[in-house]
């Protein structure tokens, strides 16, 4: 029964995430949501790992290990083995899904940095020729902000400054680390996927707030 608590706790996280977004300043919300998601994810993984280990202790090849962890009490193997198999399966699926996500996002980041490296740059600003309006922060060394020509044409001077300040705030705030943590947590428990979206929204609001402060101060 105790092991069910870490599995069920993330189910209330989406509701609490909405409240945190509505009541906390963006930066505080970003930290609160990210740390909470990581703790809940860690609890989930620890629970599944414990169930898997408990099941392994009922397998003859690993039974001798049980003598080293006394006084560990385990229920009947008729209950433990199915739960352990389920836990091991869930851990494997989560690891595979996370691995695919890491490979996909790493490839996307490399492609973006390669594209940015071939385009004209002014400081940390890279301009990409494209008919699609787009702009994004590109973490790395050095960090870049990438904007398409279509996006530049669609904005006036003040709007451009606000856009650049917004994307620079993402890099300065290390928001890619928060998003990576959110992605990790979301693959540990399905209920944390809405929290991942809340973390993304908090990062956007934090960047908006920083951009408004910087642009407003520069123009004020």
């Amino acid at each position: 029964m105790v092991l069910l608590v870490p599995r069920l706790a993330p189910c209330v996280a989406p509701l609490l995430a909405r409240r945190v977004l509505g009541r906390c300043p963006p930066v505080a919300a970003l930290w609160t949501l990210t740390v909470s998601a990581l703790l809940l994810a860690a609890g989930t993984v620890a629970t599944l790992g414990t169930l898997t280990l408990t099941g392994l202790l009922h397998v003859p090849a690993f039974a001798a290990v049980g003598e080293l962890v006394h006084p560990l009490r385990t229920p009947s193997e008729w209950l433990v083995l199915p739960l352990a198999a389920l836990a091991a399966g869930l851990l494997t699926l989560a690891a595979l899904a996370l691995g695919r996500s890491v490979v996909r996002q790493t490839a996307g980041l490399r492609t973006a940095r390669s594209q940015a490296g071939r385009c004209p740059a002014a400081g940390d600003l890279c301009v990409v020729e494209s008919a699609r309006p787009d702009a994004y922060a590109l973490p790395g060394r050095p960090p870049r902000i990438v904007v398409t020509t279509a996006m530049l044409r669609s904005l006036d001077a003040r709007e451009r400054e606000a856009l650049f300040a917004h994307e620079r705030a993402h890099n300065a705030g290390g928001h890619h680390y928060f998003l990576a943590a959110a992605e990790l947590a979301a693959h540990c428990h399905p209920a944390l996927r809405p929290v991942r979206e809340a973390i993304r929204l908090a990062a956007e609001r934090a960047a908006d707030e920083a951009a408004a402060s910087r642009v407003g101060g520069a123009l004020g």
Side-chain angles (χ1 to χ4, degrees):
M1 182 63 68
V2 174
L3 293 179
L4 288 178
V5 175
R7 288 291 298 166
L8 296 177
C11 295
V12 301
L15 175 61
L16 297 178
R18 289 194 292 271
R19 293 191 176 185
V20 169
L21 276 176
R23 298 183 180 182
C24 294
V27 174
L30 183 59
W31 276 98
T32 300
L33 291 172
T34 304
V35 172
S36 299
L38 287 176
L39 291 176
L40 291 170
T44 296
V45 172
T47 299
L48 294 177
T50 300
L51 286 172
T52 302
L53 176 61
T54 302
L56 287 175
L57 296 180
H58 284 268
V59 178
F62 298 94
V65 180
E67 301 299 324
L68 303 177
V69 290
H70 277 306
L72 179 63
R73 296 181 179 180
T74 59
S76 167
E77 64 181 24
W78 296 103
L79 175 62
V80 169
L81 292 180
L83 288 177
L86 176 61
L90 290 174
L91 282 174
T92 301
L93 289 175
L96 290 174
L98 179 60
R100 287 196 299 269
S101 177
V102 169
V103 170
R104 184 178 64 253
Q105 295 191 35
T106 300
L109 180 60
R110 287 178 178 173
T111 299
R113 290 200 67 84
S114 176
Q115 182 183 34
R118 297 192 300 267
C119 297
D124 64 345
L125 176 64
C126 296
V127 179
V128 176
E129 183 69 36
S130 175
R132 183 171 66 92
D134 195 15
Y136 52 89
L138 189 59
R141 295 184 179 180
R144 304 281 190 185
I145 57 173
V146 179
V147 60
T148 64
T149 52
M151 176 65 82
L152 291 177
R153 286 193 293 266
S154 69
L155 304 175
D156 60 30
R158 178 166 181 160
E159 289 170 336
R160 290 177 185 176
E161 288 302 315
L163 174 66
F164 299 157
H166 175 96
E167 300 303 339
R168 288 189 177 108
H170 280 313
N171 281 331
H175 293 169
H176 55 288
Y177 293 117
F178 293 93
L179 299 181
E183 190 71 19
L184 171 63
H187 282 87
C188 292
H189 198 296
L192 294 176
R193 292 171 187 170
V195 180
R196 174 180 58 187
E197 302 309 314
I199 291 172
R200 289 175 178 171
L201 180 56
E204 291 301 321
R205 289 181 176 178
D208 283 341
E209 186 177 74
S213 175
R214 181 170 182 175
V215 174
L219 298 177

